Amino acid sequence: MKFGLIEGIRQEATAGARGLCPGCSSSVIAKCGEIRLHHWAHLSTMVCDPWREQETEWHRGWKNEFPVEWQEVWHRASNGEIHISDVKTANGAVIEFQHSPITPQERASREAFYHPMAWVVDGVRLKRDLPSFCAALTDAPSAGTKLRAWLVRPGTSMIVDRWAGGSYPVFLDFGDAVFPPRWLPTTGLLWWLQYVPKLGAVATPVLRQSVVDHYRVGTPIRGLKAIAPTRRPGLTGFEAHLARKRGNRARF
């Protein structure tokens, strides 16, 4: 946990500190080594939230994009279980930052409990995910939307397939990976997945900061305007039609 209670006040871990767990009121101690992130740990082996995963610098960086009071918000289910959302916005939407593997059953349980919510997924946890995603985009047709977007077919990208079937937005975070097209920014992108039953997922590159701003203050998520296919001088009508069809396919 990033926060523990010291004399009833939420505080971050500092060397030698002791406090209480905000969820179960058990004793916690500060872990402030040189390798792992500073955090609070229970003195016992108990786990408050069965959905929690070990926090990484990636998690902590994403949490810090949002106000401290929105981070690590505790909830209690009707069966008494405690769950800690990574971020809960002022309007009640939950954002979960997912690094470790998650089963479809747990994902469905979280979505049913936290609704409305969104997922931000660490796309570089597995080395094969980025190459697989890029390969899928190579032959993906344009989604035909106002923004640059492609329809990723089922079975062509492992990470896209793993996140199929959910009810809420999924944003893939590949960090500062450089994508082959020269017209994509080299930094600051997330890939917004919107699933279409039986057809796959529409993958839209959007500006990372616009996603943060959307959940912080409600501004629209911004992507890149679609490039309209151009007609070359001297083409016949049929040739121009073929050129437009070719232009609607992403060539990486």
Side-chain angles (χ1 to χ4, degrees):
M1 298 178 296
K2 180 179 178 181
F3 298 105
L5 293 179
I6 299 179
E7 296 182 356
I9 300 173
R10 277 205 335 163
Q11 296 190 34
E12 294 190 40
T14 55
R18 288 176 174 262
L20 297 178
C21 172
C24 67
S25 299
S26 298
S27 296
V28 291
I29 57 173
K31 298 284 189 176
C32 300
E34 296 182 0
I35 298 177
R36 290 187 57 190
L37 290 170
H38 292 189
H39 65 283
W40 293 96
H42 286 85
L43 279 173
S44 68
T45 58
M46 70 175 295
V47 177
C48 273
D49 182 359
W51 292 343
R52 296 297 289 174
E53 62 175 325
Q54 185 175 349
E55 188 161 272
T56 65
E57 291 185 9
W58 177 82
H59 286 99
R60 190 65 60 86
W62 266 106
K63 283 183 181 179
N64 289 339
E65 293 283 0
F66 298 91
V68 168
E69 59 270 23
W70 293 8
Q71 300 175 29
E72 293 189 1
V73 177
W74 293 74
H75 307 74
R76 190 175 295 275
S78 57
N79 63 1
E81 264 189 359
I82 294 170
H83 299 300
I84 314 165
S85 59
D86 287 327
V87 162
K88 186 172 185 180
T89 69
N91 63 9
V94 164
I95 310 173
E96 289 284 89
F97 306 115
Q98 193 65 30
H99 169 80
S100 62
I102 184 172
T103 65
Q105 294 77 18
E106 181 177 324
R107 179 184 177 189
S109 295
R110 289 204 215 178
E111 291 185 351
F113 182 75
Y114 282 139
H115 66 91
M117 66 168 299
W119 298 91
V120 178
V121 177
D122 187 354
V124 299
R125 180 180 69 87
L126 297 178
K127 291 182 179 180
R128 63 180 182 270
D129 278 341
L130 178 58
S132 169
F133 183 71
C134 287
L137 290 176
T138 300
D139 293 316
S142 168
T145 59
K146 293 181 179 180
L147 299 178
R148 298 178 200 176
W150 296 270
L151 180 62
V152 178
R153 303 290 189 186
T156 60
S157 168
M158 292 174 284
I159 192 169
V160 172
D161 287 348
R162 287 200 303 274
W163 283 89
S167 304
Y168 290 104
V170 174
F171 299 94
L172 301 182
D173 180 8
F174 290 109
D176 290 334
V178 177
F179 290 87
R182 295 295 178 259
W183 39 259
L184 278 179
T186 56
T187 60
L189 283 183
L190 298 176
W191 287 84
W192 184 4
L193 301 182
Q194 297 165 284
Y195 285 87
V196 182
K198 299 182 180 180
L199 294 180
V202 174
T204 306
V206 294
L207 302 181
R208 182 186 191 276
Q209 188 60 47
S210 78
V211 174
V212 173
D213 293 342
H214 174 73
Y215 287 101
R216 282 181 63 108
V217 295
T219 53
I221 295 174
R222 293 183 290 116
L224 307 171
K225 186 176 180 181
I227 299 175
T230 57
R231 177 174 176 175
R232 297 194 300 273
L235 292 181
T236 66
F238 180 66
E239 289 171 334
H241 171 72
L242 291 179
R244 284 194 296 272
K245 289 188 68 176
R246 288 193 295 269
N248 281 335
R249 298 184 68 82
R251 295 298 180 188
F252 275 47

